[in-house]
Amino acid sequence: MIELESVPELVDPVMVAAFEGWNDAGDAASTAVAHLDREWKGEVFAALDAEDYYDFQVNRPTVWLENGVRKVTWPTTRLSVVRVGGEKPRDLVLVRGIEPSMRWRSFCNEILGFAHELGVEMVVILGALLGDTPHTRPVPVSGVTSDADLARTMDLEETRYEGPTGIVGILQEACTHAGVPAVSLWAAVPHYVSQPPNPKATLALLNRLEDLIGLRIPLGELPEDARAWQVGVDQLAAEDSEVAEYVQTLEEARDTAELPEASGEAIAREFERYLRRRDGGPGPGGHATESGDSAAYLRDPSSGRARPPKPPRPEAGQGPGPAKRPDDNGDKGPDDASGESPDEE
């Protein structure tokens, strides 16, 4: 059921969505949308009926107390709207929830119903995957679309992925068939330190989203959290020679793969981003890149972080394999921080 009476007329609205579970390694994507909602004080105007889409034995409701009165929060997907001011005001419709357990086509149709009623111009879906990427390097973020024209005009990759998919892929295809421009942004999370949170991956997604939709996003404490996260992982890796050796192997493979990109268009894009942010001045909380320079990370890491599992050592003479597929370890439950390929639909 769509109830939009309380929603004002929106200005150039963009829908930004993320879903916990299979498409959300390290909780990076859902945390990014939660950050937008918190920083811009989003107002929830609708929630999907949990009975229609969720298996409550998989995603349990929670009970809590408010002034001595017991209340229940049901797992669902909620929509909020935020109004972003500035020289070019623009509204965002934020979709945040859990990957549904059933009726995915109906779920996507309901989301698209909101998009149509609100006049949404583009849908951006955030995701995160587990990959063979070192934590010491900038987080790779891939932008993909099923729309050839959109891929050309916005410098995105046209998806060629084939294989198992999650709600991110299904929603993007539903948008394409409905004629709604849709983009998926995927952050790669190191598989050897996959437990949430991963503020560095969240920061990378927000930086890419900022460039995509032309809005300056207030980052709050997120850059400092990303630095602290890196310090913690650096320390954990330093305590285990096998992990440190494996990270070095990933670094070498990453650096070798990026050598052809260290000139021309890649440098031009980074320089343009630097100029935009310098000329515009720092937004609230400042901006940060996902630098791998551990010397810059001075804040003590948060306590209680679980030790990352030992990764398998690569065979002699072999580099790391391709990004970890979500089906490598069998079926994943909705709470697993797994993900899809950057080319995921």
Side-chain angles (χ1 to χ4, degrees), residues 252-330:
E252 292 171 353
R254 173 79 177 272
D255 295 344
T256 300
E258 290 186 347
L259 281 177
E261 295 295 325
S263 60
E265 294 184 4
I267 292 178
R269 283 196 301 267
E270 289 304 313
F271 187 62
E272 288 173 359
R273 172 183 286 185
Y274 162 76
L275 290 178
R276 283 199 304 272
R277 290 180 175 171
R278 185 196 66 177
D279 295 342
H287 290 262
T289 60
E290 306 75 50
S291 171
D293 183 3
S294 61
Y297 297 136
L298 303 178
R299 181 172 135 185
D300 290 335
S302 57
S303 60
R305 180 178 297 279
R307 181 184 181 87
K310 283 187 180 180
R313 297 184 63 182
E315 296 180 5
Q318 296 295 323
K324 187 176 182 68
R325 304 300 310 160
D327 53 332
D328 281 348
N329 296 321

Side-chain angles (χ1 to χ4, degrees), residues 187-235:
V189 172
H191 67 82
Y192 57 89
V193 57
S194 60
Q195 57 268 48
N198 189 318
K200 188 173 180 179
T202 296
L203 179 61
L205 281 170
L206 291 175
N207 280 339
R208 184 64 186 273
L209 177 66
E210 185 180 62
D211 293 339
L212 184 70
I213 63 178
L215 287 179
R216 293 185 63 78
I217 297 173
L219 298 177
E221 297 182 357
L222 191 57
E224 186 67 13
D225 291 340
R227 297 182 185 111
W229 178 88
Q230 172 123 5
V231 169
V233 181
D234 284 343
Q235 292 177 348

Side-chain angles (χ1 to χ4, degrees), residues 124-129 139-145 154-159 168 172 183-188 201 204-205 208-209 212 254 323 340-344:
V124 182
I125 316 165
L126 306 184
L129 55 95
V139 175
V141 177
S142 299
V144 297
T145 180
M154 302 192 75
D155 192 25
L156 301 167
E157 300 176 35
E158 189 175 357
T159 181
V168 171
Q172 178 168 319
V183 176
S184 296
L185 299 181
W186 288 94
L205 281 170
R208 184 64 186 273
L209 177 66
L212 184 70
R254 173 79 177 272
E340 300 170 69
S341 161
D343 290 336
E344 174 57 81

Side-chain angles (χ1 to χ4, degrees), residues 46-194:
L48 276 60
D49 190 341
E51 292 278 351
D52 291 340
Y53 304 115
Y54 295 99
D55 179 349
F56 299 137
Q57 290 182 328
V58 176
N59 296 289
R60 299 275 177 175
T62 57
V63 180
W64 53 287
L65 293 174
E66 183 179 42
N67 298 324
V69 178
R70 291 172 65 84
K71 295 190 176 183
V72 177
T73 298
W74 296 93
T76 188
T77 294
R78 294 177 173 83
L79 290 87
S80 59
V81 63
V82 298
R83 174 146 291 176
V84 184
E87 295 182 2
K88 296 181 179 180
R90 163 165 262 177
D91 293 324
L92 299 182
V93 179
L94 304 180
V95 181
R96 180 168 153 235
I98 304 169
E99 182 177 68
S101 307
M102 60 195 80
R103 301 185 182 91
W104 284 18
R105 284 176 291 187
S106 298
F107 179 88
C108 291
N109 287 337
E110 192 163 354
I111 296 294
L112 284 170
F114 282 104
H116 175 74
E117 292 294 330
L118 294 169
V120 166
E121 298 181 350
M122 182 170 66
V123 175
V124 182
I125 316 165
L126 306 184
L129 55 95
L130 297 179
D132 290 330
T133 181
H135 72 278
T136 53
R137 296 293 185 265
V139 175
V141 177
S142 299
V144 297
T145 180
S146 298
D147 187 320
D149 293 334
L150 198 62
R152 183 171 56 256
T153 58
M154 302 192 75
D155 192 25
L156 301 167
E157 300 176 35
E158 189 175 357
T159 181
R160 291 287 184 266
Y161 172 78
E162 295 178 302
T165 189
I167 193 61
V168 171
I170 297 301
L171 180 56
Q172 178 168 319
E173 287 306 303
C175 290
T176 299
H177 290 299
V180 179
V183 176
S184 296
L185 299 181
W186 288 94
V189 172
H191 67 82
Y192 57 89
V193 57
S194 60

